[in-house]
Amino acid sequence: MNWIASLLGNLNYGTILLLMLLESTVIPVPSELVVAPAAYHAAGGHLNVLLVVIFATIGADIGASINYFVALYVGRPVIYRFARSKWGRMCLLSEEKVQKSERYFDDHGIVATLTGRLIPGIRHLISLPAGLARMNYWKFLLYTTIGAGCWHAILAAMGWYLHAIVPEDQLEQTIERYNHYIVLAIVAIVVVAAAWFVYRKKSKKQ
């Protein structure tokens, strides 16, 4: 998508918000190639890194809210029909991905809207099962904001750090390399957190 490439090449607070809005719906925009480069430029004095995280999180909240209300009002059959359609495939969406996000939500409950924001493949779809399950919107928005804010802060820290050691023409390749390790670390944290929540839940029942 050339227009997305154009936006990525002209990062400002407005484009950061828009791209993160799209990333939280069904448009395939990689957040690591938006927030980390924006923080990289912030380290060079062109943007404010705190505002980068804030605008990225606001965009994620808006996009996630769109998904939530679409799922709430159109229902499961329409969501799955779109996932199987040509337009769904163009957005890199599939029935399997929607099912995966629903299973994750079912397994982890409402806290999935927080932890799911940190997991690749789940991040941009976790708001769909929240809407289908008619989760309280304000609780959904709170957890989404915390999860998205944490993820964007991690990416911003990476971009800020890379400014001191990586030339700009090597930034994208370096981000993709670092991102692999960050994802593994986050998945490990989420697994530990999920195990702790399950333990606490069982302890309360006993």
Side-chain angles (χ1 to χ4, degrees), residues 11-18 20 34-43 45-60 148-149 152-153 156-157 160:
L11 287 176
N12 55 51
Y13 301 123
T15 56
I16 291 167
L17 187 150
L18 176 59
M20 290 301 90
V34 177
V35 179
Y40 182 96
H41 292 304
H46 303 294
L47 295 168
N48 181 293
V49 71
L50 179 60
L51 290 179
V52 167
V53 174
I54 290 172
F55 276 91
T57 303
I58 292 172
H152 295 147
W160 185 278

Side-chain angles (χ1 to χ4, degrees), residues 21-40:
L21 184 159
L22 296 174
E23 192 256 355
S24 286
T25 54
V26 293
I27 309 297
V29 179
S31 54
E32 60 271 18
L33 295 183
V34 177
V35 179
Y40 182 96

Side-chain angles (χ1 to χ4, degrees), residues 87-105:
W87 292 104
R89 290 194 297 274
M90 285 177 63
C91 294
L92 304 182
L93 195 60
S94 69
E95 185 173 350
E96 182 183 358
K97 288 182 179 178
V98 179
Q99 288 175 341
K100 183 179 178 182
S101 67
E102 282 211 84
R103 283 197 300 270
Y104 186 84
F105 186 87

Side-chain angles (χ1 to χ4, degrees), residues 14 19 134 154 164 177 202:
L19 287 166
R134 298 183 175 274
I154 291 168
R177 188 168 67 250
K202 287 184 177 180

